[in-house]
Amino acid sequence: MSISELRGQVTSCTKCELCKTRTNAVPGKGNPNAKIVFIGEAPGRTEDVRGEPFVGSAGKKLSDALAKNGILRDSVYITNVVKCRPPNNRVPNESERESCRPYLDAELDAIKPEIICVLGNTASNSVLGQREITKNRGKIIEKDGKKYFLTFHPAAIIYNQELAAIFESDIATLARLVK
Ligand code: URA
Ligand code: SF4
């Protein structure tokens, strides 16, 4: 399925309970031929209102780190484990993640990126199984014929200078890996 067909399906999806509380579904966004796909957790308040992923304060951190390494946001593709905002930004549950999973798989199948950057615990648990971020971040992880790269969620670095420095150096590593 093409990315534009997927957008249409996500926008009108009612496969899980999150459709009842969302303002807008938030399909992935970016270059359908991207070398890098980023996977976050779930839309937050700003994303829910705008219908676009990573456009709030966490998104600003991600954009800044990309820009510092010469990566245009439009050149990559950014998506989430679930496409609708969970009430009060709670972590999406197992059944919601499972309902939404086919969209993520279809995005990755359509784009076939060189590398998939997994942002934070929820995405790591969903996509890679339990992987400890502090132990596994910053390196390539191969799984089922796909290449992954794990780092912190940009929301986790907002008030933590130490994590922010590591996040930025991970994004620099990622940028070198796809050059
Ligand atoms: N956090 C996420 O995980 N995804 C978004 O789209 C925004 C914030
Ligand atoms: Fe559909 Fe995913 Fe939204 Fe649930 S979170 S309603 S499965 S798009």
Side-chain angles (χ1 to χ4, degrees):
M1 199 186 305
S2 74
I3 289 295
S4 66
E5 284 171 306
L6 262 170
R7 284 190 75 80
Q9 290 203 5
V10 167
T11 306
S12 58
C13 179
T14 54
K15 283 200 298 174
C16 84
E17 291 284 303
L18 296 181
C19 73
K20 296 184 181 157
T21 46
R22 75 182 177 215
T23 311
N24 292 293
V26 179
K29 186 161 190 260
N31 178 359
N33 302 307
K35 291 185 186 175
I36 314 174
V37 169
F38 290 87
I39 306 177
E41 174 174 315
R45 182 195 291 279
T46 316
E47 291 79 18
D48 176 66
V49 169
R50 296 210 2 216
E52 286 181 42
F54 281 101
V55 287
S57 48
K60 171 101 172 55
K61 291 286 176 194
L62 179 59
S63 295
D64 289 351
L66 293 178
K68 270 190 199 165
N69 290 287
I71 302 176
L72 294 172
R73 226 183 115 132
D74 287 348
S75 73
V76 302
Y77 185 89
I78 302 177
T79 191
N80 284 297
V81 168
V82 298
K83 314 312 192 209
C84 300
R85 182 194 183 204
N88 300 114
N89 297 345
R90 65 163 170 76
V91 176
N93 66 36
E94 194 60 44
S95 125
E96 293 155 356
R97 293 182 207 192
E98 231 170 76
S99 305
C100 214
R101 181 68 193 229
Y103 297 129
L104 181 59
D105 290 339
E107 288 174 299
L108 296 176
D109 279 352
I111 298 168
K112 297 190 174 56
E114 279 177 28
I115 197 156
I116 300 157
C117 182
V118 176
L119 300 168
N121 271 310
T122 300
S124 174
N125 289 343
S126 297
V127 178
L128 296 171
Q130 291 284 342
R131 299 265 180 161
E132 224 183 291
I133 294 196
T134 39
K135 215 185 279 172
N136 294 293
R137 50 143 286 277
K139 351 183 230 267
I140 290 177
I141 299 165
E142 307 249 6
K143 191 184 172 228
D144 304 330
K146 291 190 174 73
K147 257 193 217 173
Y148 296 90
F149 183 89
L150 176 58
T151 189
F152 297 113
H153 191 288
I157 71 165
I158 292 174
Y159 301 107
N160 188 322
Q161 277 311 305
E162 209 175 313
L163 294 194
I166 300 171
F167 177 78
E168 287 187 10
S169 103
D170 283 350
I171 298 298
T173 303
L174 178 66
R176 282 195 299 275
L177 286 171
V178 294
K179 282 251 160 79

